[in-house]
Amino acid sequence: MKRFFTLLTILGCCIFGVEAQNEKKIPDVHKTCNEQIYRRTEIILPQVKGYNCYKADLHVHTIYSDGDITPRQRVREAWYDGLDIIAITDHLEARNYEKYMLRALAPHNPDGKPHKYYHAGSVRLMKDGTDPGIRSNHNATFAEAEEYVKKEGYPLLLIKGSEISRKPQTQGHFNALFLKDVNAIYNIDTKETLRNVHKQGGLVIHNHPGYRRNTTDKSEWQAEVYAEKLFDGVEIVNGTKFYPKMIRRCVEENLFMVGNTDTHRPTSGQYKDMGFFRTMTIILAKERTEEAIKEALLNRRTIVYSGGDLMGEEKWLAELLNASLNVQNMGVSSKKGAKYQQYCITNTTSLTYKLRQKNTVHTLEPFSTIIVDMRVGDGGFSAPTFVIDNMWHIDYQHPEVTLKFDK
């Protein structure tokens, strides 16, 4: 009996010891996964004619106008989306989100009411008929983003900008880029505001030319502004809206083309679920500096990407395609008495290309290879030529591109 009790005592101590040991192993904090859940999307593009391909979005908004997120988040988002350049272009005349903050602070305001804001050119001027002007420091938005870029060490180029938003039916909206002082460009007269941008050495883009209009043709007022050469470029794509007629306008009037998101919400909920990169402008420049990017824009070295399509001048579309593809001549084969030249085509980029040969479309996915047979005609061997179905140039046409290859 004594031995039995001794055995029970030993067994109890062992169980207590195991329980105590298990209790010690329970951590205070258990990390379910690596906190760094976001990864930068690396968009691989080639050098084109000695120029680097920089990915840019030159039209985004934050909570300092009518966007849903902060300048810090716009910077972080741009980096994870694979961009190299971003211009935060909050509205010059509108601060829609300030009313929410002012309501939250209302108990601390002398009269308990939010301050009323006005739009430039509005009939709702002050009671004495004077222009209320702007009552915000627009440069603070850029300063906040710039400070965050330095803090996080993102190799992003930030461009100081603003969107000039006037009556869209007759005038329109315009992005001012490369500004020194955003506040100083404001004038109740729109043309004078655009002139003020150029006085600072900035550039002006005609944004979404079809916005709230039944046409992209110039209004009488816009014709005057174009004639005065107050525009330097045109936004031929806004979000997923493509304005095909604008390509001819840019070519004929020596204007650069851009495509931007004009995002007000997080881009993760707009583009990634569709399986595409965000809308962007591919800028061909020697380096990622303000001077080099500005030079590239003024010399019209841009290609627009949106929804898997590429838009721009035919010359640069063809140069990008040839820089992206490795083409090898695999020799001649015979099929049913006919001779066929065989090509091995490899895509070295993150973009998809759709190569049409008569009624056959070869979809060349990123970093993939296809074999294409082309019948040898009476003229003998010739370099492969395709119509590129997901590229657009002047007059809503697809370019026809002859591929360069390693003989």
Side-chain angles (χ1 to χ4, degrees):
M1 182 65 69
K2 191 174 182 179
R3 287 183 179 179
F4 177 73
F5 282 114
T6 302
L7 183 60
L8 286 177
T9 302
I10 295 171
L11 183 60
C13 290
C14 290
I15 293 173
F16 177 79
V18 170
E19 289 179 348
Q21 188 175 6
N22 287 339
E23 187 176 353
K24 289 181 181 179
K25 288 184 177 180
I26 298 175
D28 291 317
V29 178
H30 172 78
K31 294 179 68 174
T32 58
C33 64
N34 188 343
E35 290 180 2
Q36 191 67 21
I37 58 175
Y38 295 108
R39 301 263 189 308
R40 174 173 163 86
T41 299
E42 292 294 344
I43 304 171
I44 308 302
L45 298 176
Q47 275 203 332
V48 178
K49 300 292 286 184
Y51 296 108
N52 299 317
C53 287
Y54 294 112
K55 288 83 67 179
D57 192 346
L58 305 176
H59 187 177
V60 304
H61 296 280
T62 77
I63 58 170
Y64 289 115
S65 60
D66 58 349
D68 289 344
I69 63 178
T70 66
R72 297 182 188 90
Q73 182 59 24
R74 279 285 173 240
V75 166
R76 186 186 304 118
E77 172 187 76
W79 171 249
Y80 285 123
D81 282 351
L83 297 186
D84 305 301
I85 304 164
I86 184 174
I88 295 177
T89 54
D90 280 326
H91 296 280
L92 182 65
E93 303 86 357
R95 286 289 185 265
N96 298 9
Y97 269 61
E98 281 187 4
K99 62 185 178 183
Y100 300 111
M101 179 60 72
L102 290 169
R103 283 172 186 167
L105 297 173
H108 306 283
N109 293 346
D111 59 1
K113 296 179 181 179
H115 176 73
K116 291 184 178 179
Y117 276 75
Y118 297 85
H119 291 274
S122 170
V123 295
R124 296 175 56 209
L125 299 178
M126 304 292 282
K127 290 183 179 179
D128 61 0
T130 60
D131 176 13
I134 55 172
R135 303 184 182 185
S136 296
N137 178 13
H138 294 265
N139 297 307
T141 306
F142 178 83
E144 182 178 324
E146 187 177 43
E147 181 183 2
Y148 187 72
V149 165
K150 292 177 181 178
K151 176 184 175 183
E152 296 297 318
Y154 295 135
L156 276 172
L157 174 63
L158 291 179
I159 295 175
K160 183 182 285 190
S162 182
E163 183 169 17
I164 302 159
S165 307
R166 305 297 167 94
K167 193 173 182 179
Q169 291 83 354
T170 55
Q171 297 187 14
H173 291 191
F174 321 103
N175 265 2
L177 303 178
F178 304 102
L179 298 176
K180 295 179 175 63
D181 182 359
V182 181
N183 302 322
I185 69 171
Y186 173 81
N187 193 291
I188 195 168
D189 181 276
T190 310
K191 291 180 183 177
E192 197 60 36
T193 301
L194 301 179
R195 294 183 190 112
N196 288 340
V197 174
H198 286 116
K199 287 176 184 177
Q200 292 191 20
L203 303 180
V204 178
I205 296 170
H206 185 182
N207 289 346
H208 41 65
Y211 177 56
R212 292 190 180 179
R213 303 177 73 230
N214 296 324
T215 178
T216 56
D217 294 339
K218 299 173 185 174
S219 68
E220 183 179 347
W221 183 92
Q222 289 173 355
E224 294 173 1
V225 174
Y226 273 93
E228 194 178 332
K229 298 189 181 303
L230 292 178
F231 291 143
D232 303 287
V234 178
E235 191 177 64
I236 68 168
V237 176
N238 178 276
T240 55
K241 295 182 179 68
F242 170 36
Y243 306 103
K245 292 181 180 179
M246 294 302 101
I247 294 182
R248 173 171 285 280
R249 181 183 297 180
C250 289
V251 170
E252 291 180 347
E253 302 195 29
N254 196 31
L255 304 167
F256 62 81
M257 303 178 219
V258 295
N260 303 306
T261 60
D262 188 12
T263 183
H264 293 68
R265 303 187 299 273
T267 58
S268 58
Q270 295 177 269
Y271 296 94
K272 290 185 178 179
D273 288 345
M274 294 192 292
F276 303 115
F277 302 124
R278 64 191 280 176
T279 296
M280 68 184 75
T281 305
I282 300 169
I283 302 175
L284 280 59
K286 288 292 186 181
E287 55 185 0
R288 186 173 45 200
T289 63
E290 191 167 293
E291 294 75 18
I293 297 303
K294 188 175 179 181
E295 182 273 335
L297 292 174
L298 289 173
N299 285 284
R300 295 164 41 184
R301 295 195 303 272
T302 64
I303 296 169
V304 173
Y305 169 92
S306 179
D309 285 353
L310 295 153
M311 303 85 164
E313 293 190 36
E314 186 174 18
K315 169 189 174 182
W316 292 114
L317 292 173
E319 293 290 358
L320 173 64
L321 182 70
N322 267 306
S324 300
L325 305 184
N326 287 335
V327 184
Q328 291 182 305
N329 183 350
M330 305 298 288
V332 178
S333 62
S334 297
K335 296 179 183 179
K336 297 181 180 181
K339 290 185 178 181
Y340 290 85
Q341 188 71 40
Q342 193 172 71
Y343 300 98
C344 177
I345 306 174
T346 299
N347 183 2
T348 66
T349 75
S350 300
L351 304 179
T352 296
Y353 295 108
K354 296 180 180 180
L355 285 59
R356 177 158 53 89
Q357 175 191 12
K358 294 184 178 180
N359 295 324
T360 302
V361 177
H362 306 279
T363 299
L364 192 50
E365 301 289 351
F367 310 109
S368 66
T369 298
I370 59 173
I371 303 296
V372 177
D373 291 330
M374 301 189 76
R375 187 165 181 168
V376 178
D378 296 336
F381 170 81
S382 61
T385 300
F386 297 93
V387 173
I388 315 304
D389 275 359
N390 66 324
M391 285 183 168
W392 302 87
H393 67 105
I394 200 167
D395 294 337
Y396 206 46
Q397 297 183 71
H398 301 298
E400 187 175 57
V401 182
T402 298
L403 301 186
K404 300 174 183 178
F405 61 97
D406 181 7
K407 296 182 180 180

